[in-house]
Amino acid sequence: MRMGGLASRALMARIAAKVVIVVATIEVVFLAEKLTGILEEVLGNGGGLVSALSILLLTSPEIFDFALALACVIGVYFALVAAREERELVALSAAGVSWSLALKVVLVVGVMAFGASLLVSGFLNPLAASANRAVVFNLTSDLLFRRITEPSEGTLIETIRGKTFAALSDSSVSPPHESLFVHQPGEDGAWRVTQAEDWKLIGPDAEGNYNLGLGRVNAYDFKRVDEGGGDAVSSGGRGPNLRSLGGSDIADVPMLPLVRVENVEVPVSLRNILRHAARREVAEEWTFAEALWAQGGSDTAREAREIAAERYGRALAALVAPVLALVACVLAQGGLSNFFVMPAGCAALLAFDLALRAALADLAGKGAWTMVGGGAVMAMAALLLLGLMVRARRHSLLRPVGQRA
């Protein structure tokens, strides 16, 4: 019993080291691939190195969840092959340790991978995605805040949720003349243009808030003229020269009622313009428990249940992956088989993952317990089949490639 315990711990340590190395390698490769895009996004929004590193760190849980199942296949396969080729399994067998030790160890690794996958994809990754979105939102809002409210040379134009802001600066006069134009569409083809002269930013106050002093404000409302309103041309302030226009041409001439206000100050917060959706409104950012027990027929709730099925399916794939690697090990018996069994195992894992997630997505609409139970049954069936395959070729574990035990 003691020999089996020591052997299992030694084999577990070997497998864990291999899996960690593979996961770390995949993380580094994918993060390096994303680094250029992250830097472009951060620098384009006026951020710095700290913001880029924050986004990079918050992206890592998503990659870990994707990489874990494949890392289990690759890491467990190479660890078992190394133990076999170095005669460790032969020595254990000679000491009276059953061949089933390897199967028990990989089952434990699978259970640990299942828990790690649910922890990362079901809890850490949603919270990291929400924090990542908050970082990007803060960078974008701060950049737009500066570009719209801080005087600068030339003309700066920004369009935010349909509102176009144009800040003009004329430094040829003293003091410099600053003008702000805002174009805002309305209903039924109407739109408003607001002009602010000599605007300036006032603040911040003790709480860090700003007011935008707009000075003299002119607001023009534009809306189409009803073709039947003959008297509206003169009464709308267009002048008698427009009476010569035909009915179809009159309909294309906008009305310009004018509103003039002196010395206007408004609170400034681009968060009122760039809306930051709450986490409960984004299904991808729900935890596994929240998504699994989502109630109601809204689009967000349905999407959340499908996401829960996807995360559960990926965790079940991580459960099956180590046993699949053990099957690949007993099938690798020298020659060309050594080159194909591990890639074939990865392909089999991906096929199982896709089929399982598709089945769980259908079961998600029938209730949480139905989906959880159905996934457990399918995973147990796969484990039983793979276990029988290992049992049928158990002696291959004790025979190094090209030699006899």
Side-chain angles (χ1 to χ4, degrees), residues 7 21 37 59 63 88 91 158 193 196 201 210 222 252 314 354 386:
I21 291 173
T59 306
I63 301 173
E88 290 184 13
E158 293 287 347
V193 171
L201 189 63
Y210 292 84
F222 291 75
D252 292 332
R314 191 172 293 141
L354 291 175
L386 295 174

Side-chain angles (χ1 to χ4, degrees), residues 27 58-69 112-130 279 282-292 303-319 353 357 360 371:
E27 284 272 3
L58 293 171
T59 306
S60 59
E62 178 184 356
I63 301 173
F64 174 87
D65 183 46
F66 164 77
L68 181 59
M112 294 172 61
F114 174 81
S117 179
L118 275 187
L119 174 65
V120 174
S121 68
F123 184 74
L124 296 181
N125 188 35
L127 298 183
S130 180
R279 190 175 68 87
V282 183
E284 291 85 355
E285 297 176 3
W286 290 19
T287 63
F288 177 73
E290 292 171 340
L292 180 63
E303 184 181 359
R305 289 191 290 268
E306 293 176 358
I307 291 174
E310 180 179 352
R311 293 171 180 169
Y312 183 53
R314 191 172 293 141
L316 290 176
L319 172 65
D353 183 29
R357 282 192 283 168
L360 292 178
M371 190 265 290

